[in-house]
């Protein structure tokens, strides 16, 4: 390891590992710091193994480093891609199923193969801009380790480095719930009396044995049909501190036990078990930055083409109600291609600091859409290119010529806003929106 890096990326989730890979491929000395034992974050450690959406209206709008590794992981695992041309399908059917372990191993290959240094089981304990370089303190297994960097990219999901540096961040009063991912096995849904199960569930909620949001307000039949996958709501969670995250993890595992105990007490479900579970409860919303611009829901649903747009995002507005009572899903009108501007990645009052992933500057509704994995991969790659160019030129991240960044992104397979044109619908088809879930 070096004592000084051109670029340090903190957080190796969907935004962080493409950011580090891109920066290193552009020749920047790069370090990626990750708190877990595997890269991939939400996709791997939190078990949401359905990255999307890379396509909009039958056309690919997110490519580059993230897409290339996801595609390789599908091929490696012998999987199949959705039919992206059939854009009228429900949006979740156009996400790409991956095998988390395979994807994590291929992410390792991409990051290390790019020339970036990697430290797992490591966190940043202090961050300070001294007027010329970033001074960071890493908390490693062997102790505290100081180093410096020209540019820092915060991909922690909660703007942790931003907070450590004393730069303001913000949170909503009422936040979306989290989810603990697991998959149930050991039952035959067709053989169950689902009406009786629903009555038993309602009685368990009335007694306090289950919480109303434990099944995300789904019916028991719908919950079991999904095998419990992505079908829970852990309400009241927050990130940003170790105490907050500890409370979140405990709440997720308590939910898991409540659900298992309830199900195993029901006729026909005595043998229900866990086929898989995620070691980390997924957090949809915690802290975000106060960027030089804030992406609003209006910006997003109208497909605002920002003059400094770095990447696309594509997903319906997807607000999981803070009390856990279902999801507010609003599909986008046909042809809409939302974009992510550079200024939303840069915290006000900072120097040579970028954020990528769900903690960028946006309101709750816009963030409910752009927080997803493919969008995070795209903005992560863009942040990596921007950081590398800033380090190479000595410019601030807001001063790097966008033409340089766009050129480097295209060189590495990314799709820059303006590269894709969505044709009008055929006249013999009714005007449609993307299908809701």
């Amino acid at each position: 390891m070096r004592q000084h890096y051109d670029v340090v990326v903190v957080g190796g989730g969907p935004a962080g590992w493409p950011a580090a890979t891109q920066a290193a491929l552009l020749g920047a000395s790069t370090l990626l710091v990750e708190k877990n034992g595997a890269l991939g974050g939400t996709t791997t450690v939190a078990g949401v193994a359905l990255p999307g959406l890379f396509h909009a209206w039958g056309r690919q709008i997110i490519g580059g480093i993230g897409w290339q590794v996801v595609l390789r992981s599908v091929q490696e695992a012998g999987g199949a891609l959705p039919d992206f041309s059939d854009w009228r399908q429900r949006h979740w059917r156009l996400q790409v199923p991956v095998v988390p372990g395979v994807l994590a191993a291929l992410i390792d290959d991409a990051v290390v193969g790019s020339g970036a240094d990697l430290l797992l089981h490591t966190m940043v304990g202090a961050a300070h801009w001294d007027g010329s370089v970033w001074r960071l303190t890493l908390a490693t297994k062997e102790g505290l380790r100081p180093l410096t960097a020209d540019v820092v990219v915060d991909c922690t999901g909660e703007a942790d480095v931003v907070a450590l540096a004393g730069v303001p961040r913000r949170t909503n009063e009422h936040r979306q719930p989290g989810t603990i991912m697991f998959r149930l096995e050991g039952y035959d849904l067709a053989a169950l009396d689902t009406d009786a199960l629903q009555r038993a569930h309602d009685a368990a909620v009335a007694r306090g044995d289950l919480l109303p949001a434990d099944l995300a307000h789904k019916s028991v039949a719908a919950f079991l049909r999904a095998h419990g996958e992505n079908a829970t709501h852990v309400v009241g969670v927050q990130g940003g501190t170790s105490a907050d995250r500890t409370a979140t993890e405990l709440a997720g595992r308590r939910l898991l036990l409540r659900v298992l105990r309830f199900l195993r007490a029901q006729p026909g479900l005595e043998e229900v078990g866990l086929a898989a579970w995620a070691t980390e409860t997924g957090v949809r919303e915690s802290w975000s930055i106060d960027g030089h611009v804030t992406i609003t829901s209006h910006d997003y649903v109208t497909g605002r083409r920002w003059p400094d747009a770095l990447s696309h995002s594509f997903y319906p507005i997807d607000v999981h109600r803070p009390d856990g009572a279902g999801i507010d899903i609003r599909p986008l009108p046909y042809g809409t291609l939302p974009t992510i501007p550079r200024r939303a990645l840069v915290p006000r009052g900072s120097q040579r600091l970028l954020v990528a992933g769900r903690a960028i500057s946006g309101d709750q509704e816009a963030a409910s859409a752009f927080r997803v994995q493919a969008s995070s991969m795209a903005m992560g790659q863009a942040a990596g290119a921007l950081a590398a160019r800033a380090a190479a030129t000595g410019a601030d991240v807001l001063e790097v010529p966008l033409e340089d960044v766009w050129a480097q992104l295209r060189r590495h397979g990314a799709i820059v806003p303006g590269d894709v044109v969505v044709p009008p619908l055929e006249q013999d088809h009714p005007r449609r929106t993307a299908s809701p879930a």
Side-chain angles (χ1 to χ4, degrees), residues 147-371:
L147 57 80
T148 57
D150 290 327
V151 183
V152 172
V153 186
D154 183 340
C155 298
T156 60
E158 290 157 348
D160 288 340
V161 179
V162 171
L164 288 171
V167 177
R169 58 180 182 171
R170 58 196 181 195
T171 188
N172 294 311
E173 180 181 0
H174 302 292
R175 294 173 296 275
Q176 298 176 79
T179 288
I180 182 167
M181 292 289 290
F182 55 80
R183 182 173 177 82
L184 300 173
E185 63 180 0
Y187 59 92
D188 177 6
L189 181 59
L192 299 175
D193 184 343
T194 54
D195 290 338
L197 285 173
Q198 190 63 49
R199 291 192 295 272
H201 167 272
D202 296 345
V205 170
R207 292 192 306 270
D209 294 341
L210 289 175
L211 298 182
D214 282 352
L215 307 190
H217 289 262
K218 298 178 184 292
S219 68
V220 177
F223 181 81
L224 293 173
R225 190 175 300 116
H227 291 270
E229 285 192 285
N230 204 10
T232 67
H233 275 159
V234 187
V235 298
V237 301
Q238 176 61 294
T241 71
S242 291
D244 287 338
R245 288 306 296 253
T246 298
T248 296
E249 305 300 357
L250 294 178
R253 289 192 283 273
R254 283 196 293 264
L255 181 155
L256 174 60
L257 273 182
R258 284 195 300 272
V259 171
L260 278 177
R261 288 168 177 167
F262 164 73
L263 292 175
R264 286 172 175 163
Q266 309 309 314
L269 290 172
E270 296 87 353
E271 301 301 319
V272 70
L274 282 177
W277 71 284
T279 59
E280 185 171 285
T281 297
V283 175
R284 290 183 175 87
E285 177 187 339
S286 55
W287 294 88
S288 64
I289 64 169
D290 178 17
H292 286 262
V293 298
T294 295
I295 304 170
T296 68
S297 58
H298 179 74
D299 296 327
Y300 191 87
V301 302
T302 59
R304 179 174 180 177
R305 173 81 175 278
W306 298 86
D308 56 341
L310 294 172
S311 61
H312 284 298
S313 175
F314 186 72
Y315 209 74
I317 298 295
D318 185 49
V319 180
H320 292 241
R321 295 187 176 93
D323 62 359
I327 311 172
D328 176 11
I329 298 179
R330 280 169 267 159
L332 300 176
Y334 177 80
T336 303
L337 292 179
T339 64
I340 303 295
R342 167 168 59 179
R343 287 167 294 164
L345 277 63
V346 182
R348 291 182 186 273
S350 69
Q351 294 80 40
R352 293 190 156 214
L353 176 62
L354 288 159
V355 174
R358 64 181 171 87
I360 70 167
S361 186
D363 69 18
Q364 187 175 52
E365 292 185 354
S368 76
F370 66 59
R371 66 177 173 82

Side-chain angles (χ1 to χ4, degrees), residues 53 55-58 83-95 314-318 327-336 425 430-437:
L53 293 168
H55 293 72
W57 320 116
D83 179 4
F84 298 118
S85 67
D86 186 6
W87 56 265
R88 290 178 173 85
Q89 297 182 76
R90 293 184 173 185
H91 70 273
W92 53 268
R93 292 187 180 276
L94 294 171
Q95 298 185 138
F314 186 72
Y315 209 74
I317 298 295
D318 185 49
I327 311 172
D328 176 11
I329 298 179
R330 280 169 267 159
L332 300 176
Y334 177 80
T336 303
L425 280 174
R431 186 168 180 82
R432 295 284 302 274
T433 61
S435 299

Side-chain angles (χ1 to χ4, degrees), residues 43 48-55 67 69-75 79-82 84 91-99 103 373-374:
T43 327
V48 187
L50 289 164
L53 293 168
F54 296 93
H55 293 72
W67 166 252
V69 176
V70 166
L71 184 59
R72 284 199 294 273
S73 79
V74 173
Q75 295 166 342
L81 296 173
F84 298 118
H91 70 273
W92 53 268
R93 292 187 180 276
L94 294 171
Q95 298 185 138
V96 183
V98 297
V99 177
L103 179 64
Q373 296 170 41

